[in-house]
Amino acid sequence: MRNFRTAALAGVATAVLALTACGGDGDTSTDEAAQPSADASASFEAGTTMADINQAGTITIGTKFDQPGFGEANLSGDPEGFDVDVAEYIAAKLGVEPDSITWTEAPSAQREDLIANGDVDMVVATYTINDKRKERVTFAGPYYEAGQQIMVNADNTTITGPDDLKANPDVTICSVTGSTPAENIRQYLAAPGQLVEFDVYDNCVDAMKNGQVQAMTTDNVILTGYVAQNEGEFKLVGEQFTEEPYGIGIEKGDTAFCEFINETLQEMSEDGSYEEAWTATAGQFEGTEVPTLPETAPCS
Ligand code: GLU
């Protein structure tokens, strides 16, 4: 249901920063691809989410605000990155101009709630598709395949991958509550206290900088952004040890909207916008490669 900006927001209002995009010109490490303009000819079957959004001319989208290359707020407060470009492309196909998008910060642990409460129409936020999350939301996509990795200080020679954590119980590793990497890393730890969790990744980066933790783990593409943004300070170690297919989270059971998004992702790939978006955002970081759109999964 498009139950946005109503009483349902109250529960997350303190933790969530909602703002309206205004075509930001802030100074950031990445540039957005050209913003798509709304498809004025878009028309949809009455009663569908697509028709509702198209008629309203607005959409509320959850994304990250602290992840370089995927979703990071610029100096104007507007998020930029690959997720933002993917979301804007879908919005345009729904007939919504970039300026009419309301962006809501979607920290990892809040994504299912934001969707289930109707606070957002969709979440595009480095959001791994998995069975547990599918109990509460429907996923379109995947539109990108990431994998979990570990980041350490550039001069660290002790931790070369997850298997070194048990042998070094004094090393603490940071991740984000409600994320898949925070769960996956537990099996590699000497004791549960070796994992330090925060609500957003920026706090882990700060903890790395002030020496509170000696390692950080999440998806490789997110860590690559922090390595690039903090030149010479951090490095990635070891190979990726999980698969993290990124999906677009929407209200559970809205298969028509899911199928529309999957078709739109296909168009984005075919008309070159997908590659263009990547190149302008996460693709700017050293060590990244232009992805091809993965085969989308059936909607359920
Ligand atoms: N892709 C992982 C997840 O959805 C990690 C990145 C994130 O926390 O957004 O949990």
Side-chain angles (χ1 to χ4, degrees):
M1 298 296 292
R2 304 203 63 234
N3 179 26
F4 57 89
R5 290 189 296 273
T6 60
L9 254 181
V12 288
T14 49
V16 169
L17 173 63
L19 60 144
T20 302
C22 49
D25 51 1
D27 187 42
T28 60
S29 57
T30 57
D31 296 317
E32 273 188 292
Q35 288 188 314
S37 46
D39 180 354
S41 67
S43 80
F44 303 98
E45 199 184 320
T48 59
T49 302
M50 295 82 83
D52 289 352
I53 292 171
N54 178 253
Q55 216 169 3
T58 62
I59 186 169
T60 304
I61 304 174
T63 196
K64 297 299 185 78
F65 279 19
D66 67 339
Q67 293 179 192
F70 273 79
E72 185 180 43
N74 63 23
L75 293 180
S76 317
D78 304 323
E80 293 182 349
F82 187 62
D83 280 343
V84 173
D85 285 356
V86 168
E88 281 178 348
Y89 188 93
I90 296 165
K93 293 285 175 185
L94 289 163
V96 179
E97 296 287 356
D99 286 1
S100 300
I101 298 172
T102 298
W103 296 103
T104 295
E105 186 174 13
S108 302
Q110 292 182 24
R111 293 174 291 198
E112 288 87 88
D113 283 345
L114 286 168
I115 295 165
N117 293 342
D119 295 331
V120 296
D121 295 301
M122 62 182 185
V123 164
V124 191
T126 60
Y127 197 8
T128 296
I129 301 169
N130 67 25
D131 288 344
K132 187 162 177 256
R133 291 171 177 169
K134 275 192 199 164
E135 288 169 14
R136 297 192 65 204
V137 306
T138 285
F139 282 103
Y143 62 94
Y144 183 75
E145 309 264 9
Q148 184 173 356
Q149 224 170 332
I150 289 179
M151 184 178 92
V152 294
N153 287 322
D155 60 359
N156 185 317
T157 52
T158 316
I159 304 298
T160 62
D163 294 325
D164 290 330
L165 291 167
K166 270 199 176 114
N168 293 280
D170 294 341
V171 167
T172 47
I173 185 160
C174 192
S175 199
V176 160
T177 308
S179 71
T180 48
E183 291 314 307
N184 293 330
I185 201 67
R186 290 181 202 280
Q187 63 193 295
Y188 296 96
L189 304 179
Q194 217 177 341
L195 175 65
V196 175
E197 287 181 79
F198 289 110
D199 57 345
V200 292
Y201 289 104
D202 258 357
N203 292 340
C204 282
V205 176
D206 289 344
M208 285 286 291
K209 288 184 177 174
N210 67 29
Q212 187 189 346
V213 299
Q214 293 73 44
M216 173 170 168
T217 187
T218 185
D219 301 339
N220 44 11
V221 279
I222 301 171
L223 296 174
T224 299
Y226 295 126
V227 170
Q229 260 190 358
N230 299 277
E231 221 191 309
E233 280 191 63
F234 307 130
K235 65 180 178 188
L236 265 60
V237 288
E239 299 297 317
Q240 78 168 63
F241 53 99
T242 68
E243 282 173 10
E244 309 288 334
Y246 287 177
I248 294 170
I250 58 171
E251 185 190 5
K252 180 152 176 67
D254 195 346
T255 46
F257 191 27
C258 174
E259 277 156 16
F260 168 80
I261 295 173
N262 280 351
E263 283 159 24
T264 303
L265 289 172
Q266 206 58 51
E267 285 173 44
M268 189 179 184
S269 166
E270 282 163 13
D271 73 11
S273 305
Y274 177 87
E275 182 172 339
E276 192 189 317
W278 178 267
T279 307
T281 57
Q284 304 220 329
F285 300 140
E286 212 183 307
T288 57
E289 280 172 23
V290 181
T292 47
L293 181 72
E295 203 178 317
T296 49
C299 292
S300 61

